[in-house]
Amino acid sequence: MRKATAYDVAERAGLSVGTVSRFLTGRGYVSEQAQARITAAIDELGFVRNSAASSLRTRKSGLIGFVLSDLRNPFTAQVATAIQEAARADGLAVFLSNTMGDPARGVEALEQLRSHGVDGVIVTPPGDKEFVAALADLRQSGVPVVSLGLRTRPLRFDLVTVDTEAGARDCVEHLISLGHRTIAHLGNDRRSGRFRGYRAALESAGLPVDKALVQTGVDDQQSAWQAAETLLIADPRPTAIFCYNDTTAFAAMQKANQMGLSVPGDLSVAGFDDVDHAEHWVPPLTTVAQPTEELGRLAVSEVVRQIKDGIAPPAVHTLTAELVVRSSTAPPQHTS
Amino acid sequence: MRKATAYDVAERAGLSVGTVSRFLTGRGYVSEQAQARITAAIDELGFVRNSAASSLRTRKSGLIGFVLSDLRNPFTAQVATAIQEAARADGLAVFLSNTMGDPARGVEALEQLRSHGVDGVIVTPPGDKEFVAALADLRQSGVPVVSLGLRTRPLRFDLVTVDTEAGARDCVEHLISLGHRTIAHLGNDRRSGRFRGYRAALESAGLPVDKALVQTGVDDQQSAWQAAETLLIADPRPTAIFCYNDTTAFAAMQKANQMGLSVPGDLSVAGFDDVDHAEHWVPPLTTVAQPTEELGRLAVSEVVRQIKDGIAPPAVHTLTAELVVRSSTAPPQHTS
DNA sequence: CTGTTAGCGCGTTCAA
DNA sequence: TTGAACGCGCTAACAG
């Protein structure tokens, strides 16, 4: 059974392809009567427009690409979902490319997306030099590129980002105001916004930034598990930990429990992201909420804007993260 | 800057499009020398093959669709990742469609995929009558359809599934062998394999299946949260709960803790899926592992087989789930 | 408001 | 082994 084409629809409706096409695209005039007959014909034939042909002709695919590193990360999954929803509202479909954290695969993904003629691309870290170069190429060739948190210097493409530094600072200040003085950080990188916020809060409170209290290279549950242990057997033991994200915070809480420490009694733990259901953990997690939906919406709307108005000089769009105080943080016990 | 076409490549290499095309597809003969010149030209021009044109001509897109209900479900994310990896190994790309649990959106998704000319489709529950009808249509029109756990009667398309009933049975038998007699179930549907396995284990041990101990309509953390409470304030209180999945098991554990019950001291909890890091929870979760990677691989290989050999009468491919005993289950305390 | 027609970029004949 | 030419299904431009 060959698939029905616009010609078949036209024939069946007693009209010409041109009219059918105008109906399909919504451009140009089609009489009420013609519309009705076309609609009927489409239904009867089970016609589905061939988007390969369409995009070949129009050089528009109605597709945007989203390059991410790991769908199994809950935060990533949330953002991906938000992007899909936002794109859908704009009549666009999203092509998800998973790089499994390998920038080389990111380059491949970009080529694949270009081959499919995506109208725009949204990317996330990590990205190495080659990946950034490939992105620049893509943009150069007329495809809008929006980066979600992947920052280049100088700015090469539009950046949608969250002010994680301010969020981190708020969070650590909250810990300080609770009375904590020995506050550890489980993070990935000393140049990250989270670390800078942590340091800033400590410094402005006149507290030292103790190297022994900062663990780096932590970004998933596995590594957090190890790092938390290191922190918790140290002397002096921190009374609070500010973590890279909720996943690592979860690991830290679990590790603390395993070591016989109660949260927040013996140890306050704070996370970052506010993933689904963090409010239902026991204890409910104090964390810094990232505006995932808005992030997705903004990235998409930026791409859409550029599809319509053309590529503009890169700009930065910063959203704010918000501290959500729940019960995993409390004043420290004075056991002395 | 217009994108380079195969013509540009041909011109630059001093050959004709035909030769370039033969090189690109790998069909037909191209001399070593010609290959070298084409490769060079492609490089210099930054040529990327236009897959819209290609699939228009060949009626093959190199794309398979995966229709899922919620990417934010960790199990789904794992399977999606497995599918992407497997497809990649076969030179195929995956187009992910998110229905947010709405079968009506599933129908839309199918239409979109058809429009993009996918070579095959993998789908997951939920699916209502219309969705199944749309799937049948798709298959009818020559697109291989593989269902991942969405069972129709009679069988309408290939089904790749896990013997959840046996897995559930193993799990509940484990609870019984530990000495539990009052075992609850947090599930979604009394026709599910999990429930049947639960019932079978109980019956073969001569234990009654108490309606009050079975909660249905539970499939995410939110609903589990409620249902667990209902179960735990009941009299007699169950000493063990067998849960629909790890997410709900997690919720149940959290709720128990919140109510001052310790796991596994006062309550044993078992899950299903064995999501990433369930082994690191406190206590490490006893659960039934689903073979996500194999699931993805098998679904893809089945699609690929049908793409190559044509659509065959539907068959069922059953994988086994394996009980993983960890520490969230233990013998009941005798408090009488 | 509608019909006609050329061509998007590529893959595949068929001849050379 | 290579080149020339047609057509996949659709849209846009133009003529009516």
Side-chain angles (χ1 to χ4, degrees):
Chain A
M1 182 176 100
R2 216 180 88 272
K3 279 179 205 147
T5 74
Y7 281 93
D8 301 331
V9 173
E11 188 178 0
R12 175 120 191 168
L15 294 163
S16 77
V17 240
T19 308
V20 172
S21 176
R22 257 169 284 132
F23 173 80
L24 256 24
T25 58
R27 281 191 239 295
Y29 301 92
V30 180
S31 68
E32 298 272 330
Q33 199 202 19
Q35 295 197 21
R37 283 159 60 191
I38 293 174
T39 312
I42 287 178
D43 243 45
E44 293 161 22
L45 264 36
F47 168 79
V48 176
R49 185 213 215 127
N50 179 329
S51 59
S54 164
S55 73
L56 177 57
R57 184 64 234 244
T58 60
R59 292 148 175 286
K60 293 252 162 295
S61 62
L63 231 48
I64 65 181
F66 180 41
V67 180
L68 41 61
S69 63
D70 191 357
L71 258 188
R72 293 170 302 187
N73 176 314
F75 177 68
T76 304
Q78 276 185 35
V79 173
T81 303
I83 287 178
Q84 284 184 326
E85 293 300 299
R88 182 178 136 88
D90 278 312
L92 296 170
V94 180
F95 195 120
L96 259 42
S97 277
N98 204 326
T99 66
M100 301 306 281
D102 178 0
R105 280 182 62 168
V107 175
E108 280 177 47
L110 254 25
E111 180 155 331
Q112 188 180 66
L113 293 174
R114 166 180 273 178
S115 155
H116 282 287
V118 292
D119 298 334
V121 164
I122 300 173
V123 300
T124 61
D128 62 3
K129 249 178 70 179
E130 307 222 354
F131 183 64
V132 170
L135 275 178
D137 259 26
L138 198 61
R139 183 181 147 100
Q140 186 62 33
S141 74
V143 180
V145 172
V146 171
S147 153
L148 224 54
L150 174 56
R151 185 163 229 138
T152 61
R153 233 184 7 201
L155 202 62
R156 303 274 263 285
F157 3 81
D158 283 76
L159 174 65
V160 172
T161 190
V162 172
D163 187 351
T164 53
E165 179 169 345
R169 185 173 172 147
D170 286 350
C171 184
V172 176
E173 279 173 353
H174 155 72
L175 258 15
I176 294 170
S177 75
L178 247 24
H180 292 279
R181 291 297 173 265
T182 314
I183 302 173
H185 177 48
L186 230 54
N188 67 339
D189 186 336
R190 300 179 79 92
R191 289 169 320 186
S192 71
R194 289 161 171 80
F195 176 73
R196 288 202 310 274
Y198 164 79
R199 189 179 49 199
L202 255 35
E203 284 173 353
S204 79
L207 261 23
V209 177
D210 183 348
K211 277 201 171 177
L213 291 175
V214 176
Q215 293 282 322
T216 57
V218 176
D219 61 358
D220 65 9
Q221 198 146 355
Q222 199 73 278
S223 49
W225 189 248
Q226 312 283 340
E229 178 155 25
T230 307
L231 242 28
L232 295 177
I233 59 178
D235 184 28
R237 199 177 71 209
T239 60
I241 304 185
F242 166 59
C243 301
Y244 182 70
N245 59 23
D246 291 347
T247 305
T248 55
F250 182 66
M253 278 181 17
Q254 299 285 348
K255 174 54 89 176
N257 282 328
Q258 199 196 41
M259 294 172 70
L261 264 27
S262 85
V263 176
D266 302 310
L267 179 74
S268 284
V269 174
F272 210 106
D273 285 353
D274 195 22
V275 298
D276 275 344
H277 306 295
E279 61 192 298
H280 288 142
W281 294 358
V282 175
L285 187 72
T286 291
T287 188
V288 180
Q290 298 224 41
T292 52
E293 285 183 24
E294 207 177 333
L295 225 36
R297 260 204 309 274
L298 188 55
V300 170
S301 76
E302 193 49 37
V303 168
V304 168
R305 205 182 54 64
Q306 296 200 26
I307 290 175
K308 286 215 294 248
D309 304 344
I311 297 182
V316 179
H317 308 261
T318 306
L319 297 176
T320 61
E322 190 162 351
L323 175 65
V324 181
V325 176
R326 291 198 277 246
S327 321
S328 65
T329 52
Q333 284 180 350
H334 294 282
T335 49
S336 53
Chain B
M1 182 176 101
R2 216 179 86 272
K3 279 180 203 147
T5 75
Y7 280 93
D8 302 330
V9 173
E11 187 178 0
R12 175 122 193 165
L15 295 162
S16 78
V17 239
T19 308
V20 173
S21 177
R22 257 171 284 131
F23 172 81
L24 255 25
T25 59
R27 280 190 242 294
Y29 301 93
V30 180
S31 69
E32 299 272 330
Q33 200 202 20
Q35 293 196 21
R37 283 160 58 192
I38 292 174
T39 312
I42 286 179
D43 243 43
E44 293 162 22
L45 265 37
F47 168 79
V48 177
R49 184 192 196 158
N50 178 329
S51 58
S54 162
S55 72
L56 177 57
R57 185 64 234 248
T58 60
R59 293 148 175 285
K60 292 250 162 297
S61 62
L63 230 49
I64 66 181
F66 180 42
V67 180
L68 45 72
S69 64
D70 191 357
L71 258 187
R72 293 169 303 185
N73 176 315
F75 176 69
T76 304
Q78 275 185 36
V79 173
T81 303
I83 287 178
Q84 284 184 326
E85 291 301 300
R88 183 179 136 87
D90 279 311
L92 296 170
V94 180
F95 194 119
L96 260 42
S97 279
N98 204 326
T99 67
M100 302 306 278
D102 178 0
R105 279 181 64 168
V107 175
E108 279 176 47
L110 254 24
E111 179 154 332
Q112 189 180 69
L113 292 174
R114 166 180 272 174
S115 155
H116 282 287
V118 292
D119 298 334
V121 163
I122 300 173
V123 301
T124 61
D128 62 4
K129 252 177 67 178
E130 307 222 355
F131 183 64
V132 170
L135 275 178
D137 259 24
L138 198 61
R139 183 180 147 98
Q140 186 62 31
S141 73
V143 179
V145 172
V146 171
S147 153
L148 223 55
L150 174 56
R151 184 163 230 138
T152 60
R153 230 177 19 195
L155 203 62
R156 302 273 266 284
F157 4 81
D158 283 77
L159 175 64
V160 172
T161 189
V162 172
D163 188 352
T164 52
E165 180 170 346
R169 187 174 173 146
D170 286 351
C171 185
V172 176
E173 280 172 353
H174 155 72
L175 294 171
I176 293 171
S177 74
L178 246 26
H180 292 279
R181 292 296 173 265
T182 314
I183 302 171
H185 177 47
L186 230 54
N188 67 339
D189 187 335
R190 301 179 79 91
R191 290 168 320 185
S192 71
R194 289 161 171 79
F195 176 72
R196 288 202 309 274
Y198 164 78
R199 188 178 51 197
L202 255 35
E203 284 172 354
S204 79
L207 258 25
V209 178
D210 183 349
K211 278 201 169 176
L213 291 175
V214 176
Q215 293 283 322
T216 57
V218 176
D219 61 357
D220 66 8
Q221 198 146 354
Q222 198 72 278
S223 50
W225 188 249
Q226 310 283 341
E229 177 155 26
T230 307
L231 243 28
L232 295 176
I233 59 178
D235 184 29
R237 198 177 70 211
T239 61
I241 304 186
F242 167 58
C243 300
Y244 182 70
N245 60 23
D246 291 348
T247 306
T248 55
F250 182 66
M253 278 181 16
Q254 299 285 347
K255 175 52 90 173
N257 282 328
Q258 200 196 40
M259 293 172 70
L261 266 25
S262 84
V263 176
D266 302 310
L267 179 74
S268 284
V269 174
F272 210 108
D273 286 351
D274 196 22
V275 297
D276 276 345
H277 306 296
E279 60 192 300
H280 288 142
W281 293 359
V282 176
L285 187 71
T286 292
T287 187
V288 180
Q290 298 225 41
T292 51
E293 284 184 25
E294 208 177 332
L295 225 36
R297 261 205 307 275
L298 187 55
V300 170
S301 76
E302 192 49 37
V303 168
V304 169
R305 204 182 56 63
Q306 296 200 25
I307 290 175
K308 286 217 293 248
D309 304 345
I311 297 181
V316 179
H317 308 260
T318 306
L319 298 175
T320 61
E322 190 162 350
L323 176 65
V324 181
V325 176
R326 292 198 277 246
S327 321
S328 66
T329 51
Q333 284 180 350
H334 294 284
T335 48
S336 53

